[in-house]
Amino acid sequence: MSYKHYLLACGLLWGTCHLSAQDGQVWSLQDCLDYAIEHNIQLQRSKLTEEQNELELSQRKGKLFPSLSFSTSQNVSYRPLQETASNIVTDGIATSSNNKVAENGSYGLNASWTVWNGGSNQKSIKEQKIQNQIASLNTQQTANSIQEEIAQLYVQILYSIEAKAVNEELYKTAVSQLERGKEMLNEGLMSSADVAQLETQVSSSRYDIVSTQSQITNYTRQLKELLEINSTQSFEISSISIDDETALAPVPDENDVYEKALATRPEIQASKLNIEAAALNVDIAKAGYHPTISLNAGIGDSHYSGSNSSIGEQMKQNLNASIGLSISVPIFDNRMNRTNVKKAKLSKLDSELSLRDEEKQLFSTIETYWVNAISNQQNFIAAQDKVKSATLSYELLDEQFKNGLKNIVELLTGRDQLLTAQQDKLQSKYNTILNIQLLKFYQGEPINL
């Protein structure tokens, strides 16, 4: 891509982002995923690498064909002190000249073709084709990683939005309790110290709202960075309602997920292809032990101004053609080929180890998602009952407090228990949903909320 085209692409990207912000677009998860695939800089660079590899493949294929070049030289000589004729030999023709200034020209058309070099060129083409496949798989891997990050951030935003709504409800209750506390203070039913604690509860509730909003802002900023959207532009995700039943969906079996992931994940396929490419590099290195056979051909001509013949006559007389066969047999190369073969074999062993490491990392990732899904689902089931009991308890405490039957310590304790229960429920709910979706994603299914 030329610099001009790059600037044009950047301009179009900015314009798209600008229009999106102006239109007040509300972004669904699928919108974010599609936009990132189209505009993320990491992905754009991966695609550029694919194009560069295609050019490299074309260049390697070109080595199978003969090369052809034309050359010419025009020279002028000056002999100011020359007294006798000078003899000139050009293309095997002897001429003499008394001229102090002489001009001569030569012309050549040369061709060369490597007929055989141990199969190195053919194997090099196969190896580059594999590299092109690896580059494409690397792009897919980058896209998968970006989709995972987007899903995680999107779910975190959804969780934080719902947590903020819970904190806002608790804030309203805290304000109502403070107003009731002031009334009771005026009636002599509550001390100033208790009212001060109610005021602290209101401040704490307000802080929880601000803190949750900061989390939303931070996660949104990170999501916009992945989407390559200017940080100063407005951005809002769609407000979707995810019911509790979604978190109770069956968790995919980790072994089933792993088996499907081994067959489909691009990082695994790329590692397998790396082994194939390394094996070809061993063969390419071994080709250095074989002879190289080349064909050469050329046509040449020349003329010289000091000759008694005209330029046309000289060109006719000096026209010559040649063809030749050259064979180069390596005998002693200071251990270069031997070293190259050993390096290629070590590289192949390293590729095999990399595949084993990728498989191990893949299983570890899937197992982590599976454990998180199972544990958070169990926590969510327990948290549901905990929220119900904590809500009933807090509502009763609130009513008793307003009637002067419960003290401020009991009220604040009930509030803290309810807040903890609600937060645990929300966190376990969204963590369960996220990890189930990621397990399905590793099975080859799209991420969908």
Side-chain angles (χ1 to χ4, degrees):
M1 180 183 291
S2 66
Y3 185 70
K4 181 191 293 185
H5 291 163
Y6 175 77
L7 290 178
L8 178 61
C10 290
L12 291 174
L13 172 59
W14 181 88
T16 303
C17 296
H18 185 66
L19 289 174
S20 297
Q22 285 184 332
D23 294 341
Q25 177 180 352
V26 178
W27 296 72
S28 67
L29 175 59
Q30 192 59 50
D31 290 335
C32 294
L33 296 175
D34 293 341
Y35 192 88
I37 295 299
E38 186 68 24
H39 297 89
N40 184 268
I41 291 178
Q42 284 181 274
L43 278 173
Q44 297 301 315
R45 286 178 173 171
S46 293
K47 292 174 183 177
L48 286 177
T49 300
E50 289 186 54
E51 293 183 22
Q52 291 170 349
N53 283 354
E54 287 295 333
L55 292 174
E56 178 65 24
L57 176 60
S58 178
Q59 185 177 22
R60 294 191 182 189
K61 286 181 177 180
K63 293 181 179 180
L64 297 176
F65 301 98
S67 63
L68 182 65
S69 64
F70 172 76
S71 63
T72 181
S73 64
Q74 303 293 325
N75 300 294
V76 177
S77 62
Y78 175 55
R79 298 179 177 87
L81 303 179
Q82 177 178 296
E83 296 180 356
T84 60
S86 59
N87 293 321
I88 306 295
V89 179
T90 305
D91 292 331
I93 306 285
T95 60
S96 63
S97 174
N98 289 317
N99 296 336
K100 293 183 178 181
V101 177
E103 180 269 335
N104 71 292
S106 62
Y107 312 89
L109 187 64
N110 299 289
S112 177
W113 180 33
T114 301
V115 180
W116 172 252
N117 61 350
S120 178
N121 286 341
Q122 290 81 357
K123 291 182 174 67
S124 179
I125 292 173
K126 291 180 180 179
E127 191 267 342
Q128 186 58 48
K129 287 181 178 179
I130 293 175
Q131 291 298 336
N132 289 6
Q133 295 178 53
I134 292 173
S136 177
L137 290 168
N138 287 340
T139 300
Q140 295 177 37
Q141 182 181 353
T142 301
N144 286 346
S145 298
I146 291 172
Q147 289 182 80
E148 283 186 56
E149 291 184 64
I150 289 174
Q152 290 168 349
L153 290 171
Y154 201 93
V155 169
Q156 285 292 347
I157 294 173
L158 289 176
Y159 158 71
S160 299
I161 289 174
E162 196 165 340
K164 180 184 176 184
V166 170
N167 291 333
E168 287 173 343
E169 288 299 319
L170 288 175
Y171 172 74
K172 292 177 182 178
T173 303
V175 170
S176 174
Q177 291 169 349
L178 175 60
E179 292 174 353
R180 176 56 182 157
K182 289 179 179 179
E183 293 175 359
M184 295 174 69
L185 175 63
N186 294 331
E187 296 171 0
L189 300 176
M190 181 174 288
S191 67
S192 299
D194 289 340
V195 174
Q197 290 188 59
L198 290 175
E199 291 174 343
T200 301
Q201 178 186 229
V202 171
S203 298
S204 178
S205 296
R206 188 184 299 113
Y207 173 81
D208 291 338
I209 294 173
V210 173
S211 178
T212 309
Q213 180 58 52
S214 297
Q215 292 178 355
I216 295 173
T217 302
N218 183 44
Y219 291 134
T220 302
R221 175 190 60 79
Q222 295 179 52
L223 182 55
K224 289 168 70 176
E225 287 180 356
L226 281 176
L227 301 180
E228 307 297 343
I229 295 178
N230 193 300
S231 59
T232 61
Q233 296 170 354
S234 61
F235 181 87
E236 180 183 357
I237 69 170
S238 58
S239 56
I240 58 177
S241 177
I242 301 179
D243 56 40
D244 292 349
E245 293 301 318
T246 306
L248 300 176
V251 178
D253 181 74
E254 61 175 330
N255 291 320
D256 290 342
V257 175
Y258 181 61
E259 289 301 321
K260 292 180 180 179
L262 282 177
T264 58
R265 291 292 293 186
E267 58 267 34
I268 300 299
Q269 306 310 310
S271 292
K272 292 178 179 178
L273 287 175
N274 271 323
I275 296 175
E276 291 184 34
L280 278 171
N281 281 325
V282 173
D283 292 338
I284 292 171
K286 289 180 178 179
Y289 290 117
H290 297 279
T292 299
I293 303 173
S294 302
L295 282 177
N296 301 284
I299 299 176
D301 209 342
S302 64
H303 71 273
Y304 182 67
S305 64
S307 173
N308 294 326
S309 302
S310 65
I311 291 179
E313 184 66 24
Q314 289 184 67
M315 295 287 287
K316 179 180 178 181
Q317 295 294 326
N318 293 344
L319 180 64
N320 65 88
S322 65
I323 186 170
L325 175 69
S326 63
I327 301 176
S328 175
V329 181
I331 298 175
F332 182 71
D333 61 355
N334 304 106
R335 296 186 177 180
M336 183 178 296
N337 286 329
R338 182 180 179 184
T339 302
N340 289 339
V341 171
K342 286 187 176 181
K343 285 182 177 180
K345 288 181 177 179
L346 289 175
S347 179
K348 182 174 181 292
L349 288 175
D350 184 66
S351 298
E352 292 170 351
L353 291 174
S354 294
L355 173 60
R356 291 170 56 187
D357 186 57
E358 286 288 353
E359 291 173 343
K360 184 182 72 173
Q361 291 295 329
L362 178 63
F363 183 79
S364 176
T365 300
I366 292 173
E367 186 177 41
T368 299
Y369 289 151
W370 184 82
V371 170
N372 287 341
I374 292 294
S375 59
N376 278 285
Q377 192 174 69
Q378 295 300 318
N379 290 339
F380 175 71
I381 294 172
Q384 283 183 305
D385 296 333
K386 188 176 180 181
V387 167
K388 289 179 183 178
S389 61
T391 300
L392 291 174
S393 176
Y394 184 65
E395 289 175 351
L396 180 60
L397 283 170
D398 182 47
E399 185 66 27
Q400 291 175 329
F401 168 76
K402 291 178 179 179
N403 293 321
L405 300 177
K406 291 293 181 180
N407 59 42
I408 188 65
V409 174
E410 293 173 308
L411 179 67
L412 295 180
T413 299
R415 174 191 176 277
D416 291 341
Q417 290 174 345
L418 175 59
L419 179 60
T420 300
Q422 289 176 323
Q423 289 176 339
D424 289 344
K425 178 186 174 183
L426 285 177
Q427 191 170 30
S428 58
K429 170 185 173 180
Y430 281 101
N431 279 338
T432 301
I433 294 171
L434 173 62
N435 284 282
I436 288 177
Q437 285 299 317
L438 290 176
L439 285 171
K440 291 181 178 180
F441 183 59
Y442 273 72
Q443 283 182 309
E445 300 178 24
I447 298 176
N448 184 27
L449 292 178

